[in-house]
Amino acid sequence: MEIIRKPRPTEPLRAAIFDFDGTLSLIREGWQQIMLPYFTDVLNETPGGESPAEIAHCVREFVDLQTGKQTIYQCIRLAEEVTRCGGVPLEPMAYKAEYHRRLSERIAGRIAGLKSGDDPEKHVVPGSYQVLDMLRNHGLTLYLASGTDEIYVREEAELLQLTQYFDGGVYGAQDDYKTFSKAMVIARIIDERNLNGPELVGFGDGYVEIENISKINGFAVGVASNESERCGIDEWKRSRLINAGADWIIPDFTGTPELETRLF
């Protein structure tokens, strides 16, 4: 555990919100290896005149900054970049559909394995069940909020045997993307539960959710998970999470006993 800002919560915690992909679930591990080359190929076909290296850097920057938001926002930005480079963009939903098609091919074996009885623990960030049990034992209401489409989040959370923990609800992206955001879920939690910001702890591996928690003065735990190796810190994530306002950085949840001591 790395203490970046606050050494511990300033008020007793009453609720917790978790991101899904990369924070708890590893089913979609490697999604960047699908999105980045796909978007880069699209922009390489425009007449903009930028070098392949410049385009690849541009794509990485806008994809990374919006990680944690609904996927459609990255696709909207892609369409904007196509226009900027002198091309004629497709509708953002078309880019999203093609991305999902490619990603589905990558993760199909994982989904099939889980449906056939694979151990779900192999497909979660280490210590996930232990930290969720710990927080529930302390009486916190747990919420799950993801930028992935809600239909997929619910299916994959069920396959990973995680749904039971989230008595506060499971939330994901909607077809009408303006009706959902993680910031909107956080605002609803605070309103419905009559919480002060510091009574909410948030866990996430993306810039957006950590920034959202930080803005309401909640306690933000950045999960800099190395998804491919399932151990250690992803240094790129760590840097982004610190910039977003993380109070702590952890690699995963294997340090749940230390988390419990410091949180409570």
Side-chain angles (χ1 to χ4, degrees):
M1 180 187 298
E2 183 180 7
I3 309 299
I4 306 299
R5 291 178 174 86
K6 306 170 192 170
R8 59 184 65 248
T10 57
E11 296 187 26
L13 297 171
R14 295 173 54 200
I17 184 168
F18 282 79
D19 173 52
F20 188 55
D21 297 306
T23 300
L24 294 171
S25 172
L26 296 177
I27 290 176
R28 293 176 177 244
E29 179 274 322
W31 66 267
Q32 298 96 329
Q33 297 165 33
I34 302 298
M35 181 177 283
L36 295 177
Y38 168 45
F39 283 13
T40 300
D41 286 346
V42 169
L43 288 175
N44 277 330
E45 293 175 359
T46 64
E50 294 183 347
S51 70
E54 289 172 328
I55 287 174
H57 177 74
C58 170
V59 170
R60 180 67 191 250
E61 282 297 305
F62 77 72
V63 167
D64 290 345
L65 272 177
Q66 298 186 79
T67 296
K69 281 189 175 182
Q70 299 173 70
T71 305
I72 190 63
Y73 285 101
Q74 292 158 327
C75 298
I76 290 170
R77 180 62 184 276
L78 174 61
E80 292 171 347
E81 289 296 322
V82 170
T83 299
R84 182 183 67 81
C85 292
V88 178
L90 303 178
E91 289 296 320
M93 283 298 294
Y95 291 129
K96 179 181 174 182
E98 175 60 15
Y99 161 69
H100 272 304
R101 185 192 68 78
R102 297 181 184 206
L103 180 60
S104 294
E105 289 182 352
R106 179 185 177 91
I107 67 173
R110 299 171 189 173
I111 296 289
L114 285 163
K115 289 180 176 179
S116 298
D118 276 1
D119 182 0
E121 195 154 6
K122 296 189 301 183
H123 298 281
V124 299
V125 171
S128 291
Y129 302 109
Q130 290 78 9
V131 76
L132 295 170
D133 279 327
M134 180 270 288
L135 294 170
R136 287 289 301 278
N137 289 341
H138 280 276
L140 273 66
T141 302
L142 305 189
Y143 299 80
L144 185 64
S146 174
T148 298
D149 287 3
E150 188 170 301
I151 186 173
Y152 300 123
V153 177
R154 289 185 176 276
E155 176 190 23
E156 292 166 25
E158 192 67 28
L159 288 171
L160 295 174
Q161 300 176 19
L162 292 171
T163 308
Q164 61 184 314
Y165 292 101
F166 294 100
D167 46 348
V170 174
Y171 303 92
Q174 305 295 315
D175 289 340
D176 182 358
Y177 65 91
K178 293 182 180 180
T179 65
F180 167 84
S181 71
K182 290 177 181 177
M184 291 168 66
V185 174
I186 290 168
R188 186 184 312 165
I189 293 169
I190 288 174
D191 181 57
E192 292 179 352
R193 300 274 299 167
N194 194 26
L195 296 181
N196 296 318
E199 294 176 308
L200 178 66
V201 58
F203 297 85
D205 77 317
Y207 192 99
V208 170
E209 57 263 21
I210 295 301
E211 182 181 52
N212 291 161
I213 291 291
S214 181
K215 281 183 175 179
I216 56 96
N217 200 29
F219 197 80
V221 181
V223 185
S225 54
N226 185 326
E227 298 178 44
S228 60
E229 298 182 15
R230 296 188 77 240
C231 68
I233 287 277
D234 181 314
E235 288 295 340
W236 176 84
K237 281 188 182 182
R238 173 185 173 276
S239 175
R240 291 282 185 167
L241 293 167
I242 290 172
N243 289 338
D247 294 303
W248 297 349
I249 297 291
I250 58 175
D252 52 39
F253 302 108
T254 53
T256 291
E258 183 182 2
L259 272 174
E260 182 173 22
T261 298
R262 288 186 174 272
L263 287 174
F264 299 101

